């Protein structure tokens, strides 16, 4: 009976050591998981910051796009006005040249 009790105590102590070893392994793994989680959280925060920066850049570019489109419309309008003015000046110059030629012919005939 004493041997059976000794065997039971040894068995219990062995199970206790095994349980403590498993507990240490679990605590070690838990520490690793927590460290992985902290790393993942830092990456997520960095990624979120990059997304916000990208959104700000897009907003700035969209605003600038609107300004450039407005400037382009004004430039096109100015070009059309300039072309119309040049066309009128060309017609006027052609008429003045024709008038000058007529005057020149009259002076030669005199």
């Amino acid at each position: 009976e004493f041997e059976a009790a000794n065997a039971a105590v040894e068995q219990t102590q062995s199970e206790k050591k095994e349980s403590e070893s498993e507990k240490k392994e679990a605590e070690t793994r838990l520490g690793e998981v927590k460290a992985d989680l902290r790393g993942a959280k830092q990456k997520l925060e960095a990624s979120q910051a990059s997304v916000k920066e990208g959104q700000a850049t897009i907003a700035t570019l969209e605003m600038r796009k609107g300004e450039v489109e407005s400037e382009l419309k004004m430039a096109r309008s100015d070009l059309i006005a300039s072309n119309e003015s040049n066309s009128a000046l060309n017609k006027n110059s052609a008429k003045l040249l024709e008038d000058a030629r007529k005057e020149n012919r009259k002076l030669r005939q005199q």
Side-chain angles (χ1 to χ4, degrees):
E1 212 173 283
F2 180 71
E3 289 178 15
N6 253 353
V9 168
E10 286 178 14
Q11 177 68 26
T12 302
Q13 287 175 343
S14 174
E15 288 173 0
K16 184 179 176 185
K17 286 180 183 177
E18 189 176 311
S19 176
E20 288 174 358
S21 175
E22 288 173 356
K23 182 181 176 186
K24 286 181 182 177
E25 287 177 17
E27 287 173 350
T28 299
R29 182 66 190 130
L30 179 61
E32 292 170 352
V33 169
K34 285 181 177 180
D36 290 346
L37 184 58
R38 281 190 297 272
K41 183 179 178 186
Q42 288 174 346
K43 287 180 183 177
L44 175 61
E45 289 170 351
S47 178
Q48 288 172 333
S50 292
V51 167
K52 285 182 181 179
E53 185 178 323
Q55 289 171 333
T57 299
I58 288 170
T60 300
L61 291 173
E62 285 176 345
M63 184 177 68
R64 183 64 187 133
K65 177 185 172 194
E67 293 171 357
V68 168
E69 287 175 347
S70 176
E71 290 172 8
L72 183 58
K73 284 179 185 178
M74 289 176 58
R76 283 182 181 147
S77 178
D78 290 348
L79 179 60
I80 290 169
S82 179
N83 282 340
E84 289 172 356
S85 176
N86 285 345
S87 178
L89 288 172
N90 284 340
K91 287 179 185 176
N92 192 35
S93 293
K95 182 165 181 3
L96 289 173
L97 181 60
E98 183 60 32
D99 289 349
R101 286 181 181 157
K102 285 180 186 176
E103 285 298 317
N104 193 20
R105 277 187 236 129
K106 280 183 188 178
L107 288 174
R108 284 186 194 165
Q109 288 175 355
Q110 290 176 357

